[in-house]
Amino acid sequence: MEIKDTLYIGGEWVAPAGTNTIEVVSPTTEEVIARVPEASEGDVDRAVEAAKAALAGPYPQLTPAERADYLAKLSQAIQARSQEMAEVITAEMGSPSSWSLMGQVLSSTMVLDGWADLTRTFPFEEIRPGALGPVLVRKEPVGVSAGIIPWNVPLFIVALKLGAALAAGSPMILKPSPETPLDGYILGEILDEIELPKGMVSILPAGREVGEYIVRHRGVDKVGFTGSTAAGRKVGAICGEMLKRCTLELGGKSAAIILDDADLASTVPLLMGTALMNNGEACIAQTRILASRARYDEVVDALADAVKATSVGDPTDPSVAVGPLVAERQRDRVLGYIEKGRSEGAQVAVGGGRPAGLDKGWFVEPTLFTRVDNQMTIAQEEIFGPVLAVLPYDDPADAVRIANDSDYGLSGSVWTSDVEAGIDVARQVRTGTYGINQFGTLDMRNPFGGFKSSGVGRELGPEGLSAYLETKSIVLPGDYTPPS
Ligand code: NAD
């Protein structure tokens, strides 16, 4: 068993202020695989002081090109340890190894590469014509920022937030989830290796109380939160009350619309990848599958075959597509939704329980529901497990209506042989990202975020960078000319 006795605070490995510990339990074997200190309020105070000192320099005053070099180095250093990082994430939260190298780690380095490139070209200072004379418009770091991280894609969410903060010049306090503290230890070693100036990053694994303490801390100017909609409402309320900048990336219940001209042979494998991605523990998972009444049975048959063929088991086995869920409570929650689906009248076409022969580990069978009405609980609530629902629609307008009949608006997709028809559907669905015949409904360099209860604000792209910047207008004398 791995035992850690330090925390990464302001770029130093230090003894924790408190005595609480976190036990990391393998979702596959149910055994304790590591014990790490749980950060406490005293650690947060130290991290905030270190971040405030770092804000004074030298990192925030570096040129954008110098900051971009740090981001590129961070990406390269993670790539150099990508296999190890992927294995650690698989061990702590059960992501299948067939997916984790790309989905958890290399996708994160692609995000960091995107931040590096954007930092080199973003207009951090520009002179604009004003009403009375020229105006110097400056983008300055937002101040001390905090990144609150969920357990499902821990490094990827760090890359979204820390990448933006380092691009902007903002020190960041990261709070990993108690389920996934181990990848943060590798990240700390990597930050040492690239010699990031001290104080810029602290990594404080802890639960929601310490998370809330960070959010309320007067020394924290900006909160980047990713997690459930329920927690996001709370975080948003605190930030609103304190007039703190905040970005909320929350849950989803995305609809994949299969138009009648879609080629099912090519659609189904890609769609399965986005629907059961990361054991179904993905905010952008396409879990409501909409098929026309004319092709409903055909679509159900094709999906049922694919779900039946999905291998479940030890996530370290590269032939396994679906591993265990992160925790026993998550397994029970997902099984509870399956029961609810049955009791509300939906029909289980495949799966519907715990897989036979897997006595240890928090496994749930990949499950396909048919005869689902959009008002049912399994069509409205985020399940966060390998559970799919196929809903019938009358015509494309009805499909768009069903897709939009949701509190969420994070992602979605349309499957068609007519891309223009797909773009037409995409324009009508109220979500923050959308894919046409795409496995990926999120692009590593373009804005990502939610409409409605899926969040507030955007990450990635210039919009995501702006969320870590304050804008200052310096009104210059009318006859000002910049030095040549
Ligand atoms: P969660 O809301 O329970 O926890 C997320 C993080 O917030 C954890 O670090 C947790 O300790 C912390 N936290 C919880 N309550 C808090 C509070 N009141 N104040 C401060 N911090 C608090 O979510 P989870 O179970 O870890 O993650 C799954 C959820 O995350 C799903 O709903 C999923 O859709 C969502 N998610 C969204 C995105 C996105 O980009 N939109 C990406 C990944 C996951």
Side-chain angles (χ1 to χ4, degrees), residues 147-153 156-157 160-161 175-179 206-215 223 225-232 234-235 238 248-252 281-284 326 329-330 333 382 384 408 410 442 448-450 454-455 459:
I148 312 275
I149 310 297
W151 47 260
N152 66 327
V153 272
F156 186 78
I157 305 290
L160 298 180
K161 299 185 195 314
K175 192 206 76 63
S177 283
E179 291 81 0
R208 66 184 49 189
E209 293 78 14
V210 171
E212 203 164 313
Y213 183 77
I214 295 173
V215 173
V223 177
F225 174 87
T226 297
S228 59
T229 293
K234 211 153 187 204
V235 169
I238 297 167
L248 302 173
E249 294 289 352
L250 311 176
E281 294 167 320
C283 55
I284 55 172
V326 68
R329 63 160 203 290
Q330 184 68 11
R333 188 168 173 268
E382 185 182 48
F384 230 55
Y408 293 110
L410 189 60
L442 180 163
F448 169 63
S454 288
E459 293 187 308

Side-chain angles (χ1 to χ4, degrees), residues 10 24-25 33 57 61 85 107-108 119 165-166 168 199 203 205 257 305 317 322 344 372 389 413 434 442 479 481:
V24 183
V25 181
I33 54 170
Q61 287 73 39
M85 189 67 119
S107 59
S108 310
T119 308
L166 293 181
I203 306 175
I257 299 175
D305 287 346
D317 176 344
V322 170
E344 289 182 6
V372 180
S413 58
Y434 209 79
L442 180 163
D479 59 357
T481 47

Side-chain angles (χ1 to χ4, degrees), residues 296 300 341 344-347 369-373 376 378 389-392:
Y296 188 80
V300 165
E344 289 182 6
Q347 188 169 348
F369 273 107
T370 59
R371 296 197 198 155
V372 180
D373 180 275
M376 290 178 182
I378 57 165
V390 196
L391 292 84

Side-chain angles (χ1 to χ4, degrees), residues 90-105:
T90 291
E92 56 189 354
M93 55 70 62
S95 189
S97 59
S98 55
W99 188 77
S100 54
L101 181 63
M102 185 61 214
Q104 298 279 7
V105 184

Side-chain angles (χ1 to χ4, degrees), residues 391-440:
L391 292 84
Y393 68 81
D394 297 329
D395 54 31
D398 190 39
V400 168
R401 181 194 63 75
I402 295 169
N404 284 335
D405 181 12
S406 171
D407 286 343
Y408 293 110
L410 189 60
S411 172
S413 58
V414 61
W415 304 81
T416 174
S417 53
D418 178 349
V419 175
E420 291 306 321
I423 294 174
D424 188 44
V425 167
R427 286 198 175 106
Q428 299 174 65
V429 178
R430 291 183 47 76
T431 69
T433 52
Y434 209 79
I436 298 174
N437 301 333
Q438 285 292 326
F439 170 79

